[in-house]
Amino acid sequence: MTDGRPCKVCNFTRQKSCGVVVPSLDDLKKKGCEFLGVSPSDPVTVVLEDDGTIVEDQAYFLCLPFNTKFMLLHDKETWAPARKIDGGTAWMVRESVVLQTDTVDSFIVEAPWCNLALQLKQDLTSIILMSEGDLQSLVEVPCSKLASALGFQEKKAEELQETLQRVLDRREEERQSKELLQLYLKTVENEDRQQGATSPSSQDGVGNVDMLDGLEADSASEFMSRTLMVLKGKTSPETRLSTEDLQAVVSRGLEAMQQVLGWDADRTAALLQACEAELSTRLQQIQAMQSISGTQQDGSKHGEETGTVALPRGGS
C-alpha cells in the first residue's frame, strides 16, 4: 500500500478547492467527487490545474510533487487557464474568484506545521530529527486540523499530539539532568582547586597573600562587568547566574549590592533573597549527588574487601 500523498483538488470554475491526502489516482477521484458533490459513479477526468494535462496513469500520478493541484472535470466541463478572459461569462466568473482561491491555497501551503505533519505521515521516526520548536508547533495545532491534514481520525491525532508532548517533556528532563551533572562536576573541580590553593609553602606566604588580593580585585571587576547586565536586565536573574556568581552576589551583602546596583533597599533585599534561595537549592542538589556517589563508592570498596557484591539494604 502506497503512502498517502498530499494533493489539492478544485472544480472547473476554481470556486471550490480542498486539500486531500490520497495514496492513488482512484482515491483522488473518489475524495474529489465527495467534496465537489459529484456522484462517485459518474465518470470524471483528472487534469493538472495549471496547464490542463490529463492524468490517467498511476505511475505518472506518483511522480508528481506533493501539493500538486488537480482539476476534476465532469460531464462536458473543460479545462481553461485561470486568468484568461474573453467574451464569455464563464471566463469572467473564473477570474473573479482567482484571488479568493489563491488565498485559501496559500494558507494550506504556508501553514508552518503542514510540512511537519506530512513528514510524520511519511515516517514517524522523523520526530527524532525535529527541533523542540517544530514539536511544539505540532502540539499546539487544533486536533481537528491536524487530523484533517494527516487523514487520521481525531482520536489518533490526539494520541499523536500526546506522544509529541511526552517527547518534549523527556528532552526537558534530559536538559535539566545534564545541567545538574555539569554543575556537580564544576563544583568538584572548584573544591580540588581550593584544596590545592590552601597549602602553599610558608616562605612564599606573604607574597601569595598579596597576589591573591590583586587577583581578587581583578575578579571583582570582571564579576561586575559580566553579571550586572544579568542582574539588571533579565527576568528572574538568579536562575541565569552560575553558582559562583550567586555565591559572589550573596557574599557581598545588602549594602554593597545596593551601592553597585543603584537600587533601593527593598528591591536589593528581594534580589538577594531570591539569590540565596536559588543557591541553597543548587547546593542541596549537589550534596544529594555527592551523597549518592559516596554511597556507591563505599559499597564498591566493601565488596572488593569481602569478595562479595554490595547490595542495597532493605527496610526492616
Side-chain angles (χ1 to χ4, degrees):
M1 184 67 177
T2 306
D3 292 335
R5 300 174 62 82
C7 306
K8 302 173 191 175
V9 182
C10 68
N11 62 352
F12 83 106
T13 63
R14 297 178 174 85
Q15 289 180 316
K16 293 184 177 180
S17 178
C18 71
V20 296
V21 178
V22 294
S24 67
L25 183 59
D26 290 337
D27 287 331
L28 175 66
K29 293 180 181 179
K30 181 179 178 180
K31 285 194 175 183
C33 287
E34 291 176 358
F35 176 82
L36 299 177
V38 178
S39 174
S41 61
D42 292 344
V44 293
T45 302
V46 179
V47 301
L48 297 180
E49 184 274 340
D50 58 350
D51 63 5
T53 300
I54 297 176
V55 181
E56 295 181 336
D57 182 63
Q58 171 71 8
Y60 178 71
F61 170 78
L62 295 177
C63 291
L64 295 173
F66 285 179
N67 291 313
T68 297
K69 190 170 184 178
F70 300 90
M71 179 183 292
L72 263 61
L73 302 177
H74 172 246
D75 199 9
K76 296 181 180 180
E77 296 171 351
T78 58
W79 174 90
R83 296 182 180 274
K84 181 177 180 181
I85 299 179
D86 60 11
T89 58
W91 306 120
M92 296 175 63
V93 172
R94 294 183 182 182
E95 178 65 16
S96 66
V97 299
V98 165
L99 292 179
Q100 181 180 359
T101 303
D102 288 345
T103 301
V104 175
D105 293 342
S106 64
F107 172 78
I108 295 175
V109 175
E110 294 175 1
W113 55 269
C114 282
N115 289 334
L116 300 173
L118 293 177
Q119 290 179 24
L120 291 181
K121 176 68 175 179
Q122 299 296 326
D123 183 9
L124 281 176
T125 60
S126 62
I127 293 176
I128 301 174
L129 302 178
M130 289 185 179
S131 66
E132 294 182 7
D134 292 340
L135 294 174
Q136 189 65 42
S137 65
L138 288 172
V139 170
E140 294 174 352
V141 174
C143 185
S144 58
K145 291 186 177 181
L146 183 61
S148 177
L150 295 176
F152 289 172
Q153 295 181 354
E154 287 195 20
K155 179 63 176 177
K156 185 175 181 181
E158 182 180 355
E159 292 174 352
L160 174 61
Q161 287 182 315
E162 292 175 354
T163 300
L164 297 178
Q165 184 61 57
R166 287 196 293 269
V167 173
L168 279 172
D169 294 341
R170 184 169 65 252
R171 290 189 182 182
E172 179 64 23
E173 292 174 357
E174 291 173 353
R175 182 189 299 106
Q176 292 178 358
S177 299
K178 183 178 179 181
E179 291 176 354
L180 183 59
L181 178 59
Q182 291 175 342
L183 180 62
Y184 169 71
L185 294 176
K186 188 174 182 179
T187 301
V188 172
E189 181 181 353
N190 290 338
E191 290 178 351
D192 292 342
R193 187 183 299 112
Q194 290 174 1
Q195 290 177 358
T198 54
S199 57
S201 60
S202 57
Q203 61 181 358
D204 296 335
V206 176
N208 287 341
V209 170
D210 294 339
M211 182 180 298
L212 290 174
D213 290 341
L215 291 175
E216 182 178 357
D218 293 340
S219 63
S221 176
E222 181 183 357
F223 156 73
M224 288 304 162
S225 64
R226 72 172 183 268
T227 307
L228 283 180
M229 292 181 61
V230 177
L231 292 175
K232 290 186 174 182
K234 299 292 185 180
T235 303
S236 300
E238 68 277 2
T239 63
R240 302 171 184 268
L241 293 177
S242 67
T243 302
E244 290 181 350
D245 288 342
L246 283 174
Q247 291 173 335
V249 170
V250 172
S251 64
R252 284 179 175 270
L254 177 61
E255 293 182 359
M257 291 306 301
Q258 183 178 354
Q259 183 178 3
V260 170
L261 295 171
W263 292 354
D264 57 41
D266 292 340
R267 186 178 179 185
T268 306
L271 173 65
L272 287 177
Q273 185 176 2
C275 290
E276 289 176 356
E278 177 67 19
L279 180 60
S280 176
T281 299
R282 295 187 188 181
L283 292 179
Q284 288 176 2
Q285 292 174 342
I286 292 173
Q287 290 174 358
M289 293 190 66
Q290 289 176 336
S291 177
I292 294 173
S293 177
T295 301
Q296 293 176 344
Q297 291 177 359
D298 292 342
S300 175
K301 182 177 180 181
H302 178 71
E304 291 177 357
E305 292 176 352
T306 60
T308 60
V309 178
L311 298 175
R313 298 179 179 178
S316 57

